[in-house]
Every structure is written in C-alpha cells, then in structure tokens.
C-alpha cells in the first residue's frame, strides 16, 4: 500500500485541503480530507488533480508540429502533408514515434489516451504479417510510457461520397465494412491475450470516408458495448458534400444509421445546425473538442456551450499535437467560447476539469477520472507557486497553469514523470528528437 498526502486536491467538483490518498494494486483504497502529513506519506506538494484523459490523438501527426505554417494553406493542404508522413511509417518507426509522443503526454499530465488509429497496412495496402503490426506498435509504445491506451481501430473506406480511396489513403482501408468488422474482432481477441491493459474500441473515420451502407452495417453489427468515435462536421465542405449526396447533415446521417447513442464520441463537431445540436444532446453523445488543433488548422470554434446545455458530454483531445498540454486545451475551450460570445465564464473551472477527466473517461471507455475509492490512482500535481500560478485561487488553476507547472504524474499508483522528465524514458525532447531522426 502507498499513501500520498497533498495540501490540496480536487475531490468531486471542489478543492479539498489536507488530502490523504491510499492506494494498492494501482487503485485508490481510501481518501481522507482535513488531515496533516505523516512521516510515511509520499508528499505531493501542490494541487493534486485526477489524471487528464486525452480523448483524441493521432500520434504520428506530431511529426508535423512547426512544419506546416510557412505557406498558409488550409485543412485540406495540411492533409496532404499528413499523408506524406503517414506514407513513411512502418511498425518500427511508428513505435518509436508513439513512445515519444505518449511520453510527452504523460509528462504533461495526460494519463490516458484514445488513439484514433487508421494506418493499418503497409504502404502498398498489403496486410502486415504477422497481423496487427501497427496496432501492436502502438500498444508497446503505450506500455513503455505507462499511459492507458484506448485503441480506436478506424474504418476508412473512401475518399469522399462515391469515390474510391486515393493512393495515399490505401493503407488506411479495408475491402468493405464486413472486412473491417472481422479485422476489428480479430484485433480485440488478440489484444485480450497480449495487451489486456488496452481497451480496443472502434471509429468510423467520417461520413465522407465511410459509405452510407457501411455506416448502416456498423450501426447494426458493432457490439453496442464498444466505444465508437467519428470525426463529425469538422469542415463546411464535408457538410455540403453530405447534403448533396444524402440530403442529410452528417449528424442526421449518423442518426439514420443507428449510430447516435451515449457510446458515440463525436470529434470536433464544429459546424452544426440547431437540429444537429439537439440530436447530439438528446443522444447523450460525448463531444470531443480539440481546441488547439481547431485553432491551428483554422477550422473554427464549435458550439461547445450549446452542446453541453443540450445534454451532450464534453471531452478534450490533442488531435494533431500542435500542443500537448491538458491545461491549455481546457483554457482554449473557454477562450473559444469567450471569443465567439463576447462573454467570460462560459465554462466554470469545474466544467473544464470534468471535460479533462470524467468526459474523457467516457470517451475512452474507461471507469476513471476522479480521486475516489475504487478509481485508478492516476494523479497529476500542479505547482501553485510558479511564475504562472502564484497567487491563483486553487480552484481556478486550470485557467492559469500550463503543463510546465505539472511537477509529478502518477499512473496506477506509480510515478511516471517528474518536472517534465519521464521517469523511465528520460527527457522528452531527447526522445522526440531521436524518434524523428532515426
């Protein structure tokens, strides 16, 4: 048994003082408040929060950071650069890159990640032998870094409505929905034995990349217990193409296909109609906002407040990893709402913390996200006395701190990072540099 003591910790929806947390076998056994430290306690000096859950990641997109801004462009021109990097990946290089990226996440305070994974096959679209080589690479990377991985195996069948995959996309694809469902089933069976710590979920890349008949088959045949994610209405062009091809918005098409439900996580959800917002809220879907990516790509500001008010749950993700910082994602969610509305306080700090923790946990298909008995002992510690945080109300640190203020990260009761350095893998910058140049 390990005992941690903190001067302050985020318990429920408020900050409590003098918090002692005991844990064994990676789970929290007890939580007490109003205590004083004992000699045997492991002191966590600062504000302790539940570990943050990154609800949307494409690990290899980290290769593009700082390399896509010279000529302006758009989401669509950025995508061509992304395809180029995807075409260079093999299992060995992807494992190195993902290990470094996941270590960067851990050092920043992300303790779980949902990886939206679609680079399945070799560049010539041939399946790897042995099977699931790229998926195993991601699982090994997560194991090395200590992060909790939800691997979202993605169905990606077309480049647009009625259009076949282009050459750069062929390694993402499967022959049809039946083949993807069979491969997903085999992957889940394999990982149950080899990587039992990994949650294997599912994703439909987008309505433009999964034909209508495939969406309907997924809606009918995918196990309803499996988390399902989809990129939704990220671009106006996607909405326009969907309306032209089907007469429906992407959200309405998902509803007709039987895919709107509490197990659905809709990523971005930037360009929605009033009816879309009402439908997603009524379904109790989770909306995964990626504010720093949406800003980086010029995608727009999604209607996060209206979605939450309609009944949807909110989560946060780093997507293309232009920024890997849970606190900046939370702040950007609130700042986007302020810029769009001209008003402050659109999301209270308690709501931002919930999006980073419980909302992300729902998207990841995991029972975690709180400092409570029976929960995994996943914690991050924020320095309350840095140049950024000194003088802040502890309950508002989510709006003043950054990942540079995350001094310790604990996953399953074990310290995995301290002061930005991964405990097992070392300085994150060195890891990233070596991964990108080897």
């Amino acid at each position: 048994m390990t005992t941690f003591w903190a001067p302050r910790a985020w318990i429920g929806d408020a900050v409590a003082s003098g918090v002692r947390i005991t844990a064994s076998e990676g789970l929290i056994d007890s939580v007490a408040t109003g205590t004083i430290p004992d000699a045997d306690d492991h002191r966590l000096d600062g504000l302790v929060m539940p570990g943050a859950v990154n609800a949307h990641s494409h690990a290899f997109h980290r290769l593009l950071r700082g390399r896509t801004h010279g000529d302006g462009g758009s989401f669509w021109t950025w995508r061509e650069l992304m395809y180029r990097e995807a075409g260079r990946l093999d299992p060995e290089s992807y494992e190195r890159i993902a290990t470094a990226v996941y270590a960067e996440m851990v050092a920043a305070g992300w303790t779980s990640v949902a990886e939206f994974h679609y680079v399945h096959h070799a560049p010539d679209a041939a399946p790897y032998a042995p099977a699931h080589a790229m998926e195993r690479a991601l699982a090994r990377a997560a194991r090395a870094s200590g992060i909790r991985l939800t691997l979202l195996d993605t169905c990606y069948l077309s480049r647009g409505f009625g259009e076949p995959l282009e050459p750069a996309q062929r390694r993402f694809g499967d022959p049809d929905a039946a083949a993807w469902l069979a491969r997903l089933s085999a992957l889940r069976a394999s990982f149950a034995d080899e990587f039992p710590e990994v949650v294997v979920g599912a994703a439909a890349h987008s309505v433009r990349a999964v034909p209508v008949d495939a969406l309907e088959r997924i809606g009918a045949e995918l196990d309803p217990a499996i988390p399902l994610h989809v990129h939704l209405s990220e671009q106006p062009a996607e909405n326009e193409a969907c309306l032209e091809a089907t007469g429906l918005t992407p959200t309405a098409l998902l509803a007709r296909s039987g895919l709107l439900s509490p197990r659905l996580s809709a990523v971005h959800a930037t360009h929605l109609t009033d009816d879309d917002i009402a439908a997603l809220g009524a379904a109790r879907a989770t909306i995964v906002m990626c504010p720093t990516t949406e800003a980086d790509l010029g995608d727009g500001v999604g209607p996060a407040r209206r979605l939450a008010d309609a009944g949807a749950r909110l989560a946060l993700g780093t997507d293309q990893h232009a920024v890997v910082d849970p606190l900046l994602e939370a702040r950007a969610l609130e700042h986007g709402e302020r810029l769009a509305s001209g008003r402050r306080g659109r999301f209270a700090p308690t709501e931002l913390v919930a999006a980073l923790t419980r909302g992300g946990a729902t998207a990841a298909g995991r029972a975690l996200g709180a400092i409570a008995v029976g929960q995994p002992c996943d914690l991050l510690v924020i320095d309350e006395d840095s140049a950024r945080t000194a003088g802040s109300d502890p309950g508002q640190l989510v709006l003043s701190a950054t990942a540079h203020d995350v001094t310790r990260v604990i996953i399953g009761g074990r310290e995995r990072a301290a002061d930005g350095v991964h405990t097992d893998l070392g300085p994150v910058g060195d890891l990233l540099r070596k991964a990108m140049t080897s």
Side-chain angles (χ1 to χ4, degrees), residues 27-60:
L27 300 177
I28 295 174
D29 294 323
S30 66
V31 179
T33 61
T35 70
I36 58 174
D38 289 337
D40 294 335
D41 292 336
H42 294 267
R43 288 197 57 146
L44 304 177
D45 290 320
L47 173 69
V48 176
M49 290 177 52
V53 182
N54 186 344
H56 189 65
S57 163
H58 303 290
F60 78 91

Side-chain angles (χ1 to χ4, degrees), residues 153-325:
D153 193 90
T154 302
C155 183
Y156 199 133
L157 304 178
S158 63
R159 68 177 178 182
F161 292 92
E163 299 179 346
L165 294 172
E166 58 186 271
Q169 299 168 322
R170 290 180 60 218
R171 70 183 308 188
F172 309 161
D174 292 284
D176 52 30
W180 172 72
L181 285 163
R183 188 171 57 75
L184 174 65
S185 179
L187 176 65
R188 286 173 57 81
S190 173
F191 270 38
D193 294 328
E194 190 175 357
F195 298 103
E197 73 275 19
V198 175
V199 172
V200 178
H205 180 272
S206 56
V207 296
R208 70 178 185 273
V210 183
V212 173
D213 61 340
L215 287 173
E216 292 173 348
R217 184 157 191 170
I218 291 168
E221 297 184 19
L222 185 67
D223 182 343
I226 296 174
L228 176 67
H229 289 222
V230 62
H231 293 122
L232 183 68
S233 292
E234 183 176 5
Q235 297 292 322
E238 175 185 329
N239 289 355
E240 293 161 6
C242 189
L243 282 165
E244 182 178 353
T246 69
L248 300 170
T249 66
T251 298
L253 180 58
L254 293 180
R256 193 182 72 180
S257 302
L259 295 175
L260 278 197
S261 73
R263 66 94 169 260
L264 181 73
S265 291
V267 181
H268 302 304
T270 306
H271 303 282
L272 302 177
T273 68
D274 292 346
D275 287 344
D276 293 339
I277 292 169
L280 289 162
R284 297 287 294 160
T286 298
I287 309 300
V288 183
M289 296 289 187
C290 305
T292 64
T293 288
E294 289 144 11
D296 185 76
L297 295 177
D299 288 346
V301 178
R305 181 71 267 169
R306 292 180 63 202
L307 283 159
D309 290 344
R313 293 166 291 199
L314 297 184
L316 290 163
T318 59
D319 194 357
Q320 58 143 341
H321 317 305
V323 176
V324 174
D325 185 327

